[in-house]
Amino acid sequence: PICHVQENVLQRVLQLPVVSSTCESLQRTYVSTKEAHPLMASVCEVYERGVQGASALAMWGVEPVVRRLEPQFAVANNLACRGLDHLEEKIPALQYPVDK
């Protein structure tokens, strides 16, 4: 795969079968744990709300910095995409789900 200008290396990594299957497995485990343990579910919900609030606040605070550093981020993203291209060529296992 060749990295395109609008491509985001994080999105590409998340689309790798080995990564996406791992994330799906973790999500299933998290959801089933919450369903099986009501006390754990309430603790997790409080934590989730806190993370959402903190994330929104952090994004608001760093937005001016991100805007200013956007050219550097574009260069870093491009380099990371090229590195990912190389990894995908050298490590075929990245193209398979975890169970394979």
Side-chain angles (χ1 to χ4, degrees):
I2 303 297
C3 204
H4 302 290
V5 175
Q6 296 86 3
E7 199 166 29
N8 180 311
V9 71
L10 182 58
Q11 290 170 337
R12 273 192 56 197
V13 168
L14 291 173
Q15 290 173 357
L16 288 171
V18 69
V19 175
S20 64
S21 67
T22 301
C23 289
E24 289 167 6
S25 176
L26 288 171
Q27 184 178 15
R28 282 192 303 272
T29 301
Y30 180 73
V31 168
S32 67
T33 301
K34 282 174 51 174
E35 289 172 353
H37 306 283
L39 181 58
M40 180 65 107
S42 62
V43 170
C44 289
E45 287 168 13
V46 169
Y47 173 75
E48 290 166 11
R49 276 184 259 140
V51 168
Q52 287 174 344
S55 297
L57 184 59
M59 289 303 296
W60 176 81
V62 299
E63 194 263 333
V65 175
V66 169
R67 216 174 326 121
R68 183 172 281 239
L69 295 175
E70 197 166 354
Q72 290 87 346
F73 288 142
V75 170
N77 183 66
N78 190 31
L79 289 171
C81 280
R82 282 194 264 156
L84 185 55
D85 290 340
H86 183 71
L87 282 176
E88 287 178 300
E89 283 177 27
K90 299 293 181 190
I91 308 172
L94 294 174
Q95 300 303 322
Y96 299 100
V98 171
D99 59 354
K100 293 186 179 179

